[in-house]
Amino acid sequence: MESIKIKKITSVWIITVLVLFVASIVLGILMRLNQGGALNQAPINFYSNMTIHGLTMIGIWFVAGMAGINFLMERYVKTSYKANLTAFILTVIGVVMLWVITLVGKFHVAWTFLYPMPFKIMWAKWATPAFLVAMSILSIGWLIWSISMMTQILKKYSIAQAFAWQHFTKDPSVKTPPFILISMITLVGVITCLFVAVVLMALYFAEFLSKGSFVNDALLMKNLTYFFGHTIANEMLYLGLAVLYELFAEVGGKAKWQTSWYVALAWNFTLIFILTAFFHHLYMDFVQPEGFQIIGQLASYMASLPAAAVTVFSVWVAVYRTKIKWSLTNLLFFIGVAGWVIGGFGAVIDATISNNVVLHNTLWVPAHFHSYNVMGNVLFSLAFFYWFSIQFTEKVVNERLSKLVLSLLIIGGAGFLLAFYLGGADSIPRRYSNYPAEFTSAKPLALVGAAFATVYLIPILILFVTITKRCIKVLFSSR
Ligand code: HEM
């Protein structure tokens, strides 16, 4: 039984994520309107908005996944409320700082803050050190939280059991729940990349404080930055999948999924390859040793394909020719898997070296990562939020609203993404605040993208209101 404290803190996480999500979507729509010529933002404002949009989106969907697995983990092991609360407090401090740094200080290095850009001051002078402090606060808060959850898993399961290695033998005596396996695999990746983030911040600080006597190696900094950024953006998807493995069958009224040898194998593969897939961000860095580029391509395939194959198989077996109880929760999961797979295909196409020569830094890049976020991971977490909100309040689902929500999500999401994909296929570069006249299709596509993103915003607002209302009830309830 979950404690009252975990219910309340999970409600606070959900409300915080939803508020920031709506604000960040609005920034996204403003960016597309500007790219379409309907708005005329100064470039510095466009890039400040782009920076905070990217940072916030990655941050909130990471913590949404963490809050989800933390809540569900209570079914198997006791988790630390203090670690959860500490992470929340540090997240609020970090996020408020980032919004001030970008919107007031006009810090605009994009969410990838590629070295040495943070030192090429074109914004308020205080913004660079404040940015480094904010990123350190966030990394440390999340590190404490993830280490604490991993420790709790290891108090109950041995290392071999947490990684489900006993499932490679016949009839294992201890069965590792898929939720524990995926959480463990993901937490190891999360801890590794957050640790790298702390090292990266230390190197930035060393150069900043040395006043020129210490200069970092640009290639090393880029490798570290992508090790952190690419990995955390991928791991957050797997947090969402852990939640899906735990809840999909349950809400459909079916028996819980079990770990089999191939599920264990696929997820162990994911652990290894997810940590090296980031090399595909450095294909255009010709000084990078060639072996790493080859590892980058192979790891990009191996990190996503096994996990995708077993998940799609499990979901398909669960629904094919079987009567299951459909609700908004498992429909969001189901559509999310489709969005994840479509985005994954887009990513694998881009991670293939011969294609990357053409697609590098075109709109294909935001196309694929928005696919597995906007129509993938976000839907996994929204499914959890929705499921959570009805656990402790009324359980009656308004079917008419569900249909409207799903239809608008699919229409808005698909149209918004298609405008990015078509732009990428037409070689339109990403991250342009205003497109030169030579890119004839760029502006109309941006306007189409803005219109569909607005359609996507409507169901998000409906979910925001319904879920938030219920979470507020949980906050004020004494049970
Ligand atoms: C309907 C909702 C959304 C809209 C309208 C939107 C819009 C945009 C736009 C216009 C860009 C700039 C594209 C370019 O020209 O390079 C962008 C970048 C980005 N978006 Fe979104 N987005 C949305 C949802 C999301 C979600 C859910 C995530 C992640 C979970 C996300 C993460 C990012 C990131 C990381 C960037 C890159 C920022 C950078 O280059 O520094 N977005 N988004």
Side-chain angles (χ1 to χ4, degrees):
M1 220 18 212
E2 305 87 6
S3 72
I4 184 148
K5 278 182 177 172
I6 185 84
K7 284 183 204 165
K8 290 190 189 245
I9 186 116
T10 308
S11 303
V12 179
W13 275 117
I14 292 176
I15 298 169
T16 312
V17 166
L18 288 174
V19 169
L20 287 167
F21 186 39
V22 171
S24 303
I25 292 181
V26 171
L27 289 179
I29 295 173
L30 293 180
M31 280 193 278
R32 273 322 241 163
L33 286 173
N34 196 66
Q35 290 175 328
L39 281 183
N40 194 11
Q41 293 176 328
I44 193 167
N45 291 333
F46 176 91
Y47 288 110
S48 302
N49 290 349
M50 189 184 83
T51 302
I52 197 60
H53 167 87
L55 285 168
T56 308
M57 287 292 198
I58 298 296
I60 57 174
W61 294 110
F62 169 72
V63 295
M66 289 287 282
I69 67 157
N70 193 153
F71 182 78
L72 292 169
M73 201 173 280
E74 288 276 312
R75 292 175 165 193
Y76 301 97
V77 296
K78 183 93 203 82
T79 62
S80 159
Y81 173 72
K82 271 191 196 152
N84 193 332
L85 182 65
T86 309
F88 180 74
I89 294 169
L90 294 183
T91 301
V92 171
I93 298 173
V95 169
V96 170
M97 283 181 75
L98 287 177
W99 277 70
V100 173
I101 291 160
T102 46
L103 298 185
V104 180
K106 299 290 171 203
F107 185 74
H108 57 278
V109 291
W111 92 277
T112 41
F113 59 95
L114 207 54
Y115 177 87
M117 274 213 291
F119 293 140
K120 306 284 169 206
I121 311 250
M122 286 171 271
W123 40 78
K125 265 198 175 141
W126 52 266
T128 291
F131 174 74
L132 300 179
V133 172
M135 292 299 282
S136 307
I137 290 176
L138 290 171
S139 308
I140 291 168
W142 297 344
L143 206 46
I144 294 170
W145 196 11
S146 35
I147 290 176
S148 142
M149 271 200 266
M150 193 173 81
T151 315
Q152 296 308 108
I153 293 180
L154 290 176
K155 277 188 188 160
K156 177 162 173 188
Y157 300 90
S158 67
I159 290 192
Q161 289 167 353
F163 289 113
W165 292 337
Q166 78 280 18
H167 286 274
F168 299 138
T169 60
K170 252 192 173 175
D171 298 325
S173 54
V174 177
K175 296 218 157 100
T176 307
F179 173 79
I180 291 294
L181 165 68
I182 303 172
S183 299
M184 182 67 186
I185 297 274
T186 311
L187 287 171
V188 172
V190 166
I191 291 167
T192 316
C193 71
L194 288 174
F195 182 70
V196 168
V198 174
V199 172
L200 182 65
M201 289 307 131
L203 289 172
Y204 265 114
F205 271 120
E207 180 165 341
F208 182 74
L209 298 173
S210 80
K211 302 216 179 325
S213 62
F214 170 76
V215 177
N216 277 294
D217 178 275
L219 187 62
L220 174 67
M221 294 298 269
K222 185 163 181 184
N223 272 286
L224 292 177
T225 306
Y226 277 101
F227 190 115
F228 157 62
H230 173 87
T231 312
I232 200 159
N234 270 254
E235 296 290 359
M236 66 191 201
L237 189 66
Y238 298 144
L239 294 172
L241 283 174
V243 172
L244 180 150
Y245 271 71
E246 180 66 15
L247 292 181
F248 190 81
E250 183 179 313
V251 292
K254 293 278 155 190
K256 251 200 162 76
W257 291 353
Q258 301 289 330
T259 302
S260 56
W261 68 266
Y262 57 86
V263 170
L265 186 68
W267 282 98
N268 275 271
F269 258 122
T270 305
L271 168 68
I272 303 165
F273 292 108
I274 193 82
L275 297 177
T276 41
F278 78 92
F279 283 131
H280 65 222
H281 283 278
L282 287 103
Y283 289 156
M284 294 294 151
D285 296 272
F286 303 111
V287 286
Q288 179 88 333
E290 203 176 88
F292 288 167
Q293 313 291 36
I294 295 163
I295 293 174
Q297 175 164 329
L298 295 178
S300 304
Y301 294 162
M302 299 306 287
S304 50
L305 296 181
V310 293
T311 307
V312 170
F313 179 71
S314 306
V315 169
W316 187 249
V317 168
V319 299
Y320 186 64
R321 292 197 175 170
T322 340
K323 238 183 153 155
I324 79 159
K325 225 166 59 202
W326 284 107
S327 64
L328 185 56
T329 306
N330 51 10
L331 281 166
L332 284 168
F333 279 135
F334 191 78
I335 298 164
V337 171
W340 170 45
V341 171
I342 294 168
F345 262 115
V348 165
I349 290 173
D350 192 26
T352 305
I353 295 174
S354 50
N355 299 335
N356 191 268
V357 174
V358 180
L359 295 173
H360 195 87
N361 273 349
T362 64
L363 285 180
W364 192 271
V365 181
H368 78 67
F369 73 70
H370 278 94
S371 302
Y372 52 67
N373 282 305
V374 170
M375 290 306 283
N377 188 34
V378 168
L379 302 196
F380 297 157
S381 283
L382 287 179
F384 170 73
F385 291 178
Y386 185 78
W387 171 85
F388 173 89
S389 75
I390 55 178
Q391 290 310 296
F392 312 110
T393 50
E394 83 274 25
K395 298 197 182 188
V396 183
V397 182
N398 184 338
E399 275 299 322
R400 220 167 38 125
L401 212 59
S402 301
K403 278 186 196 147
L404 179 73
V405 163
L406 290 172
S407 317
L408 293 179
L409 271 179
I410 294 173
I411 296 169
F416 164 66
L417 296 171
L418 197 63
F420 269 151
Y421 277 113
L422 292 175
D426 202 17
S427 293
I428 296 166
R430 69 184 286 207
R431 290 177 170 163
Y432 267 44
S433 61
N434 306 93
Y435 294 114
E438 285 77 7
F439 296 114
T440 47
S441 64
K443 282 189 179 180
L445 281 174
L447 291 178
V448 170
F452 278 100
T454 311
V455 174
Y456 179 88
L457 181 59
I458 300 167
I460 297 298
L461 287 173
I462 296 174
L463 287 175
F464 170 74
V465 173
T466 50
I467 295 173
T468 303
K469 261 203 230 155
R470 291 177 183 142
C471 285
I472 290 174
K473 269 194 202 158
V474 175
L475 269 181
F476 289 103
S477 99
S478 53
R479 277 181 300 129

